[in-house]
């Protein structure tokens, strides 16, 4: 029916066209000379109209028989509108050239040249639009996706991308309808540049994956068994492909545990969407794991609990003092309880630089330990009353033991070289300690002998070679003297 109307329309058009073309001749041959001249302008208008009507008819014929007929059959799908539109533009350009040539007797080449120059200016102004247009053409000819296909469009934020179905591929952009009912307008140039995933090609059947991470302590084989059972249980539902087997694969190992990928095939949107299928798969996986008593891995850290070491000791508490004493050589071997007894009794003395703690020949009833700073040991070597430094005491050393152990007056003056902190331990505490720990008295006696010998050396009373023998005999003497002194 439509073909016949096209044919009749075409014949009528040709008849009328010939009539118009030859109208002045016909009118003149009938004897109407004046009328023939006047009707010339009307005839031009009619000729132009008929060329345009002709172009319209040709265009309709091309659309009907070429694009929607032969081309659609060759491409095995509907021909995109953009191709038809380009065809139409070409038909009207040719018609314009014919009107210029046949109606106005102008050169067709000049017309086309003018059109070309105009095209260059327009092309520059509309270059982005033209880029979209030509990419759209390329996309159509490449036939990588068609109306009705589901595409994954990459998201600008770098996420999973958005899934949408192609509704239209136009001159400038393609229109996609998403699962959530929204529309994505995608400029054709992006279709040409970005990596677009076509879910519907090469076949509608598409593979998807969902992942679960399980702790390292659960054997891989056990997890595989449980997850595969979960996958198989959902795969029998409508929408999942029956011809391909689902799989469970170990995809990675990480901080949290082993990552398992649950791989399955579906016919997207017939009737399952990828999101719905993932929901079904993961729900089944979690249910199966829960029944087996396995919880998916979560971020965790191993914590070792241990009291923090003290940052610094103020020396105010007994515990602080015990800690200080434990670093002093003569107390190193004492039990915690013994250290606590000494710590509870000792007294803190703070000295500023150059301050004298005690003088030579003073009465001495206590032992000292130096914790912070430096002390000078000073003696009047020449007998002139002018004291000189014979030795220096450093933190961790004890002093004042000579007078304490022998009952003699202080053998030297102790003066702070820098600001210092010392602890004073009373004679009574030392006596108790020595009674319980005889080794302490031996250690102290040796120190006394060494220091005594140093003093003698300083006074030039002793030659170097005699020193060792002198220390030994002096130690014995002091021990003897000390026992005597403590007995009294
Ligand atoms: P005491 O005699 O009670 O008082 C002065 C202290 O100075 C003395 O005990 C020793 O502990 C200490 N002393 C004496 N001579 C020396 C020395 N040569 N080196 C280090 N310390 C000393």
């Amino acid at each position: 029916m439509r073909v016949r109307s096209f044919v009749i329309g075409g014949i009528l058009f040709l008849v009328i066209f010939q009539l118009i073309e030859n109208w002045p001749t016909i009118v003149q041959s009938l004897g109407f000379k004046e009328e023939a001249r006047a009707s010339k302008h009307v005839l031009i208008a009619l000729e132009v109209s008929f060329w345009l009507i002709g172009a319209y008819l040709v265009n309709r014929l091309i659309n009907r028989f070429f694009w929607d007929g032969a081309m659609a059959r060759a491409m095995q799908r509907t021909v995109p509108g953009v191709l038809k539109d380009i065809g139409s533009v070409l038909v009207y350009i040719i018609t314009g050239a014919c009107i210029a040539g046949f109606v106005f007797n102008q050169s067709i080449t000049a017309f086309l040249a003018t059109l070309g120059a105009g095209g260059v200016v327009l092309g520059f102004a509309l270059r982005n639009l033209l880029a979209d247009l030509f990419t759209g053409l390329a996309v159509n000819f490449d036939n990588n996706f068609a109306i009705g296909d589901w595409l994954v469009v990459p998201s600008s934020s770098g996420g999973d991308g958005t899934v949408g179905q192609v509704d239209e591929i136009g001159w400038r952009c393609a229109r996609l309808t998403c699962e959530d009912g929204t529309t994505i307008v995608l400029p054709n140039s992006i279709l040409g540049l970005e990596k677009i995933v076509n879910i519907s090609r090469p076949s509608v059947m598409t593979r998807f994956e969902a992942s679960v991470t399980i702790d390292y302590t659960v054997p891989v084989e056990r997890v595989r068994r449980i997850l595969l059972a979960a996958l198989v249980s959902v795969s029998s539902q409508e929408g999942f492909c029956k011809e391909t087997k689902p799989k469970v694969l170990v995809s990675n190992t990480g901080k949290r545990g082993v990552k398992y990928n649950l791989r399955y095939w579906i016919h997207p949107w017939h009737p399952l969407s990828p999101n719905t299928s993932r929901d079904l798969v993961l729900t089944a996986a979690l249910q199966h794991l829960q029944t087996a008593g396995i919880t998916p891995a979560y971020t965790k850290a191993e914590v070792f609990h241990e009291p923090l070491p003290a940052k610094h000791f103020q020396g105010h508490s007994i515990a602080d003092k015990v800690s200080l004493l434990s670093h002093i050589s003569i107390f190193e071997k004492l039990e915690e309880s013994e250290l606590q007894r000494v710590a509870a009794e000792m007294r803190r003395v703070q000295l500023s630089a150059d301050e004298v703690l005690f003088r030579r020949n003073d009465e001495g009833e206590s032992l000292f330990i130096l914790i912070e700073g430096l002390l000078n040991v000073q003696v009047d070597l020449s007998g002139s009353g002018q004291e000189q430094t014979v030795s220096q005491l450093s933190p961790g050393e004890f002093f004042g033991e000579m007078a304490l152990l022998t009952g003699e007056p202080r053998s030297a003056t102790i003066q702070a070289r820098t600001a210092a902190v010392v602890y004073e331990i009373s004679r009574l505490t030392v006596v108790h300690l020595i009674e319980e720990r005889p080794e302490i008295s031996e250690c102290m006696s040796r120190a006394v002998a060494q220091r005594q010998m140093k003093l003698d050396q300083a006074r030039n009373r002793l030659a170097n070679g005699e020193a060792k023998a002198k220390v030994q005999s002096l130690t014995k003497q002091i021990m003897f003297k000390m026992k005597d002194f403590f007995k009294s």
Side-chain angles (χ1 to χ4, degrees), residues 303-338:
V303 178
F304 293 95
H305 181 77
E306 201 174 74
L308 278 174
K311 302 283 184 297
H312 75 283
F313 298 107
Q314 288 288 355
H316 295 316
S317 69
I318 298 286
D320 278 6
K321 287 176 183 170
V322 166
S323 177
L324 291 173
L325 284 176
S326 64
H327 295 107
I328 308 296
S329 58
I330 51 165
F331 299 126
E332 254 171 10
K333 295 206 172 99
L334 293 192
E335 302 272 328
E336 177 81 10
S337 58
E338 292 167 322

mmCIF file of all heavy atoms in Angstrom, residues 303-338:
data_model
loop_
_atom_site.group_PDB
_atom_site.id
_atom_site.type_symbol
_atom_site.label_atom_id
_atom_site.label_comp_id
_atom_site.label_asym_id
_atom_site.label_seq_id
_atom_site.Cartn_x
_atom_site.Cartn_y
_atom_site.Cartn_z
ATOM 1 N N VAL A 303 47.207 -7.367 70.770
ATOM 2 C CA VAL A 303 47.666 -6.396 71.772
ATOM 3 C C VAL A 303 48.427 -7.139 72.863
ATOM 4 O O VAL A 303 47.908 -8.090 73.446
ATOM 5 C CB VAL A 303 46.464 -5.640 72.383
ATOM 6 C CG1 VAL A 303 46.931 -4.667 73.453
ATOM 7 C CG2 VAL A 303 45.698 -4.918 71.294
ATOM 8 N N PHE A 304 49.677 -6.749 73.110
ATOM 9 C CA PHE A 304 50.464 -7.322 74.202
ATOM 10 C C PHE A 304 50.362 -6.369 75.379
ATOM 11 O O PHE A 304 50.702 -5.194 75.253
ATOM 12 C CB PHE A 304 51.920 -7.500 73.778
ATOM 13 C CG PHE A 304 52.096 -8.523 72.704
ATOM 14 C CD1 PHE A 304 52.137 -8.140 71.366
ATOM 15 C CD2 PHE A 304 52.166 -9.871 73.011
ATOM 16 C CE1 PHE A 304 52.275 -9.083 70.363
ATOM 17 C CE2 PHE A 304 52.302 -10.816 72.017
ATOM 18 C CZ PHE A 304 52.354 -10.428 70.693
ATOM 19 N N HIS A 305 49.879 -6.905 76.517
ATOM 20 C CA HIS A 305 49.646 -6.047 77.662
ATOM 21 C C HIS A 305 50.843 -6.108 78.600
ATOM 22 O O HIS A 305 51.202 -7.154 79.087
ATOM 23 C CB HIS A 305 48.376 -6.512 78.379
ATOM 24 C CG HIS A 305 48.026 -5.682 79.548
ATOM 25 N ND1 HIS A 305 47.435 -4.448 79.412
ATOM 26 C CD2 HIS A 305 48.202 -5.890 80.855
ATOM 27 C CE1 HIS A 305 47.274 -3.928 80.611
ATOM 28 N NE2 HIS A 305 47.725 -4.788 81.502
ATOM 29 N N GLU A 306 51.495 -4.996 78.822
ATOM 30 C CA GLU A 306 52.637 -4.947 79.731
ATOM 31 C C GLU A 306 52.704 -3.553 80.331
ATOM 32 O O GLU A 306 52.487 -2.562 79.612
ATOM 33 C CB GLU A 306 53.918 -5.219 78.940
ATOM 34 C CG GLU A 306 55.049 -5.695 79.828
ATOM 35 C CD GLU A 306 56.260 -6.085 79.001
ATOM 36 O OE1 GLU A 306 56.927 -5.173 78.505
ATOM 37 O OE2 GLU A 306 56.529 -7.285 78.872
ATOM 38 N N PRO A 307 52.987 -3.457 81.672
ATOM 39 C CA PRO A 307 53.056 -2.109 82.241
ATOM 40 C C PRO A 307 54.185 -1.307 81.594
ATOM 41 O O PRO A 307 55.238 -1.858 81.283
ATOM 42 C CB PRO A 307 53.336 -2.346 83.720
ATOM 43 C CG PRO A 307 53.504 -3.788 83.897
ATOM 44 C CD PRO A 307 53.250 -4.505 82.625
ATOM 45 N N LEU A 308 53.927 -0.060 81.420
ATOM 46 C CA LEU A 308 54.944 0.790 80.790
ATOM 47 C C LEU A 308 56.096 1.042 81.752
ATOM 48 O O LEU A 308 55.859 1.225 82.944
ATOM 49 C CB LEU A 308 54.322 2.142 80.434
ATOM 50 C CG LEU A 308 53.534 2.220 79.141
ATOM 51 C CD1 LEU A 308 52.869 3.581 79.043
ATOM 52 C CD2 LEU A 308 54.478 2.033 77.967
ATOM 53 N N PRO A 309 57.340 1.064 81.282
ATOM 54 C CA PRO A 309 58.429 1.426 82.193
ATOM 55 C C PRO A 309 58.291 2.893 82.583
ATOM 56 O O PRO A 309 57.786 3.699 81.802
ATOM 57 C CB PRO A 309 59.685 1.217 81.337
ATOM 58 C CG PRO A 309 59.215 1.234 79.932
ATOM 59 C CD PRO A 309 57.797 0.811 79.920
ATOM 60 N N ALA A 310 58.720 3.206 83.833
ATOM 61 C CA ALA A 310 58.597 4.587 84.296
ATOM 62 C C ALA A 310 59.428 5.493 83.418
ATOM 63 O O ALA A 310 60.526 5.134 83.000
ATOM 64 C CB ALA A 310 59.075 4.669 85.731
ATOM 65 N N LYS A 311 58.881 6.632 83.105
ATOM 66 C CA LYS A 311 59.593 7.567 82.233
ATOM 67 C C LYS A 311 60.791 8.188 82.990
ATOM 68 O O LYS A 311 61.849 8.366 82.446
ATOM 69 C CB LYS A 311 58.655 8.680 81.766
ATOM 70 C CG LYS A 311 57.432 8.162 81.033
ATOM 71 C CD LYS A 311 57.792 7.755 79.621
ATOM 72 C CE LYS A 311 56.597 7.333 78.817
ATOM 73 N NZ LYS A 311 55.900 6.160 79.314
ATOM 74 N N HIS A 312 60.570 8.547 84.259
ATOM 75 C CA HIS A 312 61.672 9.019 85.091
ATOM 76 C C HIS A 312 61.265 8.904 86.549
ATOM 77 O O HIS A 312 60.081 8.915 86.887
ATOM 78 C CB HIS A 312 62.082 10.444 84.735
ATOM 79 C CG HIS A 312 61.130 11.483 85.234
ATOM 80 N ND1 HIS A 312 59.940 11.724 84.619
ATOM 81 C CD2 HIS A 312 61.207 12.314 86.291
ATOM 82 C CE1 HIS A 312 59.318 12.686 85.275
ATOM 83 N NE2 HIS A 312 60.056 13.057 86.292
ATOM 84 N N PHE A 313 62.277 8.772 87.424
ATOM 85 C CA PHE A 313 61.994 8.604 88.850
ATOM 86 C C PHE A 313 62.131 9.938 89.557
ATOM 87 O O PHE A 313 63.142 10.621 89.429
ATOM 88 C CB PHE A 313 62.960 7.593 89.470
ATOM 89 C CG PHE A 313 62.816 6.234 88.860
ATOM 90 C CD1 PHE A 313 63.773 5.743 88.000
ATOM 91 C CD2 PHE A 313 61.709 5.458 89.142
ATOM 92 C CE1 PHE A 313 63.638 4.500 87.420
ATOM 93 C CE2 PHE A 313 61.567 4.210 88.575
ATOM 94 C CZ PHE A 313 62.533 3.730 87.716
ATOM 95 N N GLN A 314 61.097 10.285 90.285
ATOM 96 C CA GLN A 314 61.166 11.524 91.058
ATOM 97 C C GLN A 314 61.893 11.287 92.374
ATOM 98 O O GLN A 314 62.392 12.202 92.992
ATOM 99 C CB GLN A 314 59.749 12.034 91.358
ATOM 100 C CG GLN A 314 59.030 12.594 90.142
ATOM 101 C CD GLN A 314 59.612 13.934 89.705
ATOM 102 O OE1 GLN A 314 60.478 14.490 90.358
ATOM 103 N NE2 GLN A 314 59.123 14.427 88.585
ATOM 104 N N GLY A 315 61.921 10.022 92.817
ATOM 105 C CA GLY A 315 62.580 9.697 94.081
ATOM 106 C C GLY A 315 61.715 9.999 95.281
ATOM 107 O O GLY A 315 62.199 10.011 96.412
ATOM 108 N N HIS A 316 60.412 10.247 95.023
ATOM 109 C CA HIS A 316 59.536 10.566 96.151
ATOM 110 C C HIS A 316 58.943 9.307 96.762
ATOM 111 O O HIS A 316 58.838 9.196 97.970
ATOM 112 C CB HIS A 316 58.405 11.501 95.704
ATOM 113 C CG HIS A 316 58.924 12.842 95.258
ATOM 114 N ND1 HIS A 316 59.891 13.514 95.954
ATOM 115 C CD2 HIS A 316 58.618 13.615 94.188
ATOM 116 C CE1 HIS A 316 60.154 14.654 95.327
ATOM 117 N NE2 HIS A 316 59.396 14.733 94.249
ATOM 118 N N SER A 317 58.574 8.342 95.929
ATOM 119 C CA SER A 317 57.930 7.142 96.472
ATOM 120 C C SER A 317 58.988 6.093 96.814
ATOM 121 O O SER A 317 60.117 6.138 96.316
ATOM 122 C CB SER A 317 56.952 6.580 95.432
ATOM 123 O OG SER A 317 57.688 6.057 94.360
ATOM 124 N N ILE A 318 58.569 5.123 97.667
ATOM 125 C CA ILE A 318 59.478 4.030 98.053
ATOM 126 C C ILE A 318 59.898 3.254 96.808
ATOM 127 O O ILE A 318 61.059 2.905 96.636
ATOM 128 C CB ILE A 318 58.779 3.078 99.059
ATOM 129 C CG1 ILE A 318 58.412 3.823 100.338
ATOM 130 C CG2 ILE A 318 59.626 1.846 99.364
ATOM 131 C CD1 ILE A 318 59.572 4.135 101.253
ATOM 132 N N ALA A 319 58.895 3.018 95.902
ATOM 133 C CA ALA A 319 59.184 2.252 94.684
ATOM 134 C C ALA A 319 60.261 2.957 93.848
ATOM 135 O O ALA A 319 61.166 2.300 93.321
ATOM 136 C CB ALA A 319 57.905 2.089 93.870
ATOM 137 N N ASP A 320 60.168 4.286 93.767
ATOM 138 C CA ASP A 320 61.171 5.053 93.017
ATOM 139 C C ASP A 320 62.546 4.904 93.657
ATOM 140 O O ASP A 320 63.557 4.695 92.963
ATOM 141 C CB ASP A 320 60.801 6.549 93.007
ATOM 142 C CG ASP A 320 59.766 6.866 91.937
ATOM 143 O OD1 ASP A 320 59.275 5.907 91.320
ATOM 144 O OD2 ASP A 320 59.457 8.055 91.748
ATOM 145 N N LYS A 321 62.562 4.989 94.976
ATOM 146 C CA LYS A 321 63.849 4.911 95.694
ATOM 147 C C LYS A 321 64.456 3.513 95.538
ATOM 148 O O LYS A 321 65.672 3.371 95.363
ATOM 149 C CB LYS A 321 63.655 5.241 97.172
ATOM 150 C CG LYS A 321 63.403 6.733 97.419
ATOM 151 C CD LYS A 321 63.128 6.961 98.882
ATOM 152 C CE LYS A 321 62.799 8.419 99.151
ATOM 153 N NZ LYS A 321 62.305 8.640 100.499
ATOM 154 N N VAL A 322 63.598 2.489 95.605
ATOM 155 C CA VAL A 322 64.079 1.109 95.429
ATOM 156 C C VAL A 322 64.729 0.977 94.053
ATOM 157 O O VAL A 322 65.810 0.397 93.902
ATOM 158 C CB VAL A 322 62.919 0.100 95.589
ATOM 159 C CG1 VAL A 322 63.308 -1.282 95.076
ATOM 160 C CG2 VAL A 322 62.488 0.025 97.038
ATOM 161 N N SER A 323 64.053 1.552 93.068
ATOM 162 C CA SER A 323 64.591 1.476 91.709
ATOM 163 C C SER A 323 65.952 2.179 91.612
ATOM 164 O O SER A 323 66.865 1.685 90.946
ATOM 165 C CB SER A 323 63.572 2.093 90.758
ATOM 166 O OG SER A 323 64.079 2.108 89.478
ATOM 167 N N LEU A 324 66.078 3.323 92.294
ATOM 168 C CA LEU A 324 67.358 4.047 92.285
ATOM 169 C C LEU A 324 68.455 3.215 92.953
ATOM 170 O O LEU A 324 69.557 3.081 92.434
ATOM 171 C CB LEU A 324 67.212 5.387 93.023
ATOM 172 C CG LEU A 324 66.352 6.459 92.342
ATOM 173 C CD1 LEU A 324 66.161 7.649 93.259
ATOM 174 C CD2 LEU A 324 66.995 6.899 91.039
ATOM 175 N N LEU A 325 68.121 2.628 94.124
ATOM 176 C CA LEU A 325 69.112 1.844 94.886
ATOM 177 C C LEU A 325 69.596 0.627 94.105
ATOM 178 O O LEU A 325 70.766 0.245 94.201
ATOM 179 C CB LEU A 325 68.500 1.370 96.205
ATOM 180 C CG LEU A 325 68.364 2.433 97.312
ATOM 181 C CD1 LEU A 325 67.653 1.842 98.517
ATOM 182 C CD2 LEU A 325 69.738 2.954 97.723
ATOM 183 N N SER A 326 68.645 0.021 93.341
ATOM 184 C CA SER A 326 69.006 -1.211 92.636
ATOM 185 C C SER A 326 70.096 -0.977 91.586
ATOM 186 O O SER A 326 70.695 -1.919 91.085
ATOM 187 C CB SER A 326 67.768 -1.835 91.999
ATOM 188 O OG SER A 326 67.275 -0.949 91.025
ATOM 189 N N HIS A 327 70.326 0.304 91.221
ATOM 190 C CA HIS A 327 71.381 0.599 90.248
ATOM 191 C C HIS A 327 72.717 0.949 90.914
ATOM 192 O O HIS A 327 73.690 1.241 90.227
ATOM 193 C CB HIS A 327 70.952 1.771 89.341
ATOM 194 C CG HIS A 327 69.774 1.422 88.487
ATOM 195 N ND1 HIS A 327 68.509 1.916 88.719
ATOM 196 C CD2 HIS A 327 69.676 0.583 87.435
ATOM 197 C CE1 HIS A 327 67.689 1.416 87.827
ATOM 198 N NE2 HIS A 327 68.374 0.590 87.035
ATOM 199 N N ILE A 328 72.766 0.962 92.250
ATOM 200 C CA ILE A 328 74.012 1.287 92.966
ATOM 201 C C ILE A 328 74.764 -0.028 93.214
ATOM 202 O O ILE A 328 74.168 -0.993 93.707
ATOM 203 C CB ILE A 328 73.704 1.991 94.320
ATOM 204 C CG1 ILE A 328 72.768 3.192 94.100
ATOM 205 C CG2 ILE A 328 74.985 2.391 95.052
ATOM 206 C CD1 ILE A 328 73.320 4.310 93.267
ATOM 207 N N SER A 329 76.052 -0.051 92.870
ATOM 208 C CA SER A 329 76.792 -1.321 92.851
ATOM 209 C C SER A 329 76.735 -2.079 94.183
ATOM 210 O O SER A 329 76.522 -3.290 94.181
ATOM 211 C CB SER A 329 78.242 -1.070 92.433
ATOM 212 O OG SER A 329 78.830 -0.152 93.343
ATOM 213 N N ILE A 330 76.879 -1.395 95.342
ATOM 214 C CA ILE A 330 76.935 -2.163 96.604
ATOM 215 C C ILE A 330 75.579 -2.754 96.993
ATOM 216 O O ILE A 330 75.497 -3.669 97.806
ATOM 217 C CB ILE A 330 77.458 -1.320 97.811
ATOM 218 C CG1 ILE A 330 76.698 -0.008 97.917
ATOM 219 C CG2 ILE A 330 78.954 -1.145 97.788
ATOM 220 C CD1 ILE A 330 76.920 0.667 99.284
ATOM 221 N N PHE A 331 74.494 -2.234 96.396
ATOM 222 C CA PHE A 331 73.161 -2.759 96.736
ATOM 223 C C PHE A 331 72.610 -3.702 95.664
ATOM 224 O O PHE A 331 71.489 -4.192 95.783
ATOM 225 C CB PHE A 331 72.169 -1.607 96.934
ATOM 226 C CG PHE A 331 72.548 -0.670 98.050
ATOM 227 C CD1 PHE A 331 72.666 0.695 97.835
ATOM 228 C CD2 PHE A 331 72.799 -1.151 99.328
ATOM 229 C CE1 PHE A 331 73.020 1.544 98.858
ATOM 230 C CE2 PHE A 331 73.162 -0.295 100.357
ATOM 231 C CZ PHE A 331 73.278 1.061 100.124
ATOM 232 N N GLU A 332 73.393 -3.947 94.621
ATOM 233 C CA GLU A 332 72.921 -4.709 93.459
ATOM 234 C C GLU A 332 72.322 -6.061 93.820
ATOM 235 O O GLU A 332 71.326 -6.481 93.264
ATOM 236 C CB GLU A 332 74.091 -4.946 92.490
ATOM 237 C CG GLU A 332 74.003 -4.080 91.257
ATOM 238 C CD GLU A 332 75.265 -4.174 90.427
ATOM 239 O OE1 GLU A 332 76.103 -5.042 90.710
ATOM 240 O OE2 GLU A 332 75.409 -3.353 89.505
ATOM 241 N N LYS A 333 72.960 -6.721 94.827
ATOM 242 C CA LYS A 333 72.558 -8.103 95.125
ATOM 243 C C LYS A 333 71.487 -8.187 96.207
ATOM 244 O O LYS A 333 71.083 -9.282 96.596
ATOM 245 C CB LYS A 333 73.791 -8.906 95.537
ATOM 246 C CG LYS A 333 74.781 -9.027 94.379
ATOM 247 C CD LYS A 333 75.639 -10.247 94.495
ATOM 248 C CE LYS A 333 76.454 -10.428 93.238
ATOM 249 N NZ LYS A 333 77.826 -9.936 93.357
ATOM 250 N N LEU A 334 71.013 -7.045 96.709
ATOM 251 C CA LEU A 334 70.019 -7.073 97.791
ATOM 252 C C LEU A 334 68.659 -7.530 97.284
ATOM 253 O O LEU A 334 68.303 -7.306 96.140
ATOM 254 C CB LEU A 334 69.862 -5.681 98.422
ATOM 255 C CG LEU A 334 71.054 -5.113 99.188
ATOM 256 C CD1 LEU A 334 70.629 -3.877 99.981
ATOM 257 C CD2 LEU A 334 71.632 -6.133 100.156
ATOM 258 N N GLU A 335 67.904 -8.178 98.204
ATOM 259 C CA GLU A 335 66.538 -8.604 97.882
ATOM 260 C C GLU A 335 65.649 -7.364 97.845
ATOM 261 O O GLU A 335 65.976 -6.330 98.429
ATOM 262 C CB GLU A 335 66.009 -9.534 98.991
ATOM 263 C CG GLU A 335 66.844 -10.761 99.230
ATOM 264 C CD GLU A 335 66.431 -11.917 98.322
ATOM 265 O OE1 GLU A 335 65.232 -11.976 98.011
ATOM 266 O OE2 GLU A 335 67.306 -12.702 97.924
ATOM 267 N N GLU A 336 64.474 -7.500 97.207
ATOM 268 C CA GLU A 336 63.514 -6.389 97.094
ATOM 269 C C GLU A 336 63.129 -5.864 98.479
ATOM 270 O O GLU A 336 63.092 -4.648 98.719
ATOM 271 C CB GLU A 336 62.280 -6.899 96.331
ATOM 272 C CG GLU A 336 61.144 -5.930 96.167
ATOM 273 C CD GLU A 336 61.341 -4.943 95.014
ATOM 274 O OE1 GLU A 336 62.274 -5.129 94.215
ATOM 275 O OE2 GLU A 336 60.557 -3.968 94.951
ATOM 276 N N SER A 337 62.909 -6.820 99.418
ATOM 277 C CA SER A 337 62.467 -6.412 100.769
ATOM 278 C C SER A 337 63.579 -5.616 101.471
ATOM 279 O O SER A 337 63.307 -4.624 102.174
ATOM 280 C CB SER A 337 62.086 -7.635 101.599
ATOM 281 O OG SER A 337 63.202 -8.495 101.659
ATOM 282 N N GLU A 338 64.833 -6.023 101.267
ATOM 283 C CA GLU A 338 65.958 -5.315 101.889
ATOM 284 C C GLU A 338 66.088 -3.912 101.288
ATOM 285 O O GLU A 338 66.297 -2.925 102.005
ATOM 286 C CB GLU A 338 67.246 -6.098 101.674
ATOM 287 C CG GLU A 338 67.262 -7.415 102.432
ATOM 288 C CD GLU A 338 68.400 -8.339 101.984
ATOM 289 O OE1 GLU A 338 68.708 -8.397 100.780
ATOM 290 O OE2 GLU A 338 68.974 -9.000 102.851
#
